[in-house]
Amino acid sequence: MGKVLVIGDKYTVNLFRLIGVESLVLEDPLKLEDIIQKLKKREDIDLILISNDLYTPVKEKIDSLLLEQKKPLITIIPSPYSESKPIDVKSLILRALGFG
């Protein structure tokens, strides 16, 4: 089974580190695209979680990258600084299965 990796602010990352998830603190959203490109090459990662506060400023640049990405699956999670919205579990499952 592959690894889960979290990219986010120091608070989000520290929460995931407490449960043993590999994490990466990123302060500058403009560096997110380069980080994703590097992580895509790692065979051991199956899921990348990105905090919403990093994703939102560069959404237009990143969306096409996320849509074409099959493995690892990349998804956005809320952070302490973002508004919480309901998660569309059905679309996440369909996307994970390659139908979205």
Side-chain angles (χ1 to χ4, degrees):
M1 185 167 155
K3 292 181 181 181
V4 175
L5 184 127
V6 177
I7 305 171
D9 61 272
K10 64 181 178 179
Y11 301 109
T12 303
V13 164
N14 284 333
L15 288 172
F16 279 91
R17 281 184 182 159
L18 286 172
I19 59 171
V21 175
E22 186 177 344
S23 307
L24 176 65
V25 175
L26 187 64
E27 300 292 331
D28 184 5
L30 298 175
K31 295 180 181 177
L32 185 59
E33 185 176 11
D34 293 334
I35 297 293
I36 291 172
Q37 293 291 357
K38 289 177 186 173
L39 293 173
K40 282 175 30 175
K41 297 174 185 171
R42 285 186 49 185
E43 295 286 326
D44 62 330
I45 299 175
D46 282 340
L47 176 63
I48 297 175
L49 303 173
I50 301 171
S51 65
N52 191 40
D53 57 320
L54 285 175
Y55 166 73
T56 302
V58 292
K59 181 179 180 175
E60 291 77 27
K61 267 180 99 172
I62 301 295
D63 275 348
S64 62
L65 181 64
L66 298 182
L67 290 175
E68 68 187 33
Q69 185 63 30
K70 300 294 183 206
K71 184 182 182 218
L73 177 64
I74 301 171
T75 192
I76 311 304
I77 59 171
S79 70
Y81 306 109
S82 62
E83 290 183 29
S84 61
K85 297 179 184 175
I87 297 173
D88 185 0
V89 176
K90 182 179 176 182
S91 74
L92 288 176
I93 293 171
L94 289 172
R95 188 168 162 226
L97 295 173
F99 296 106

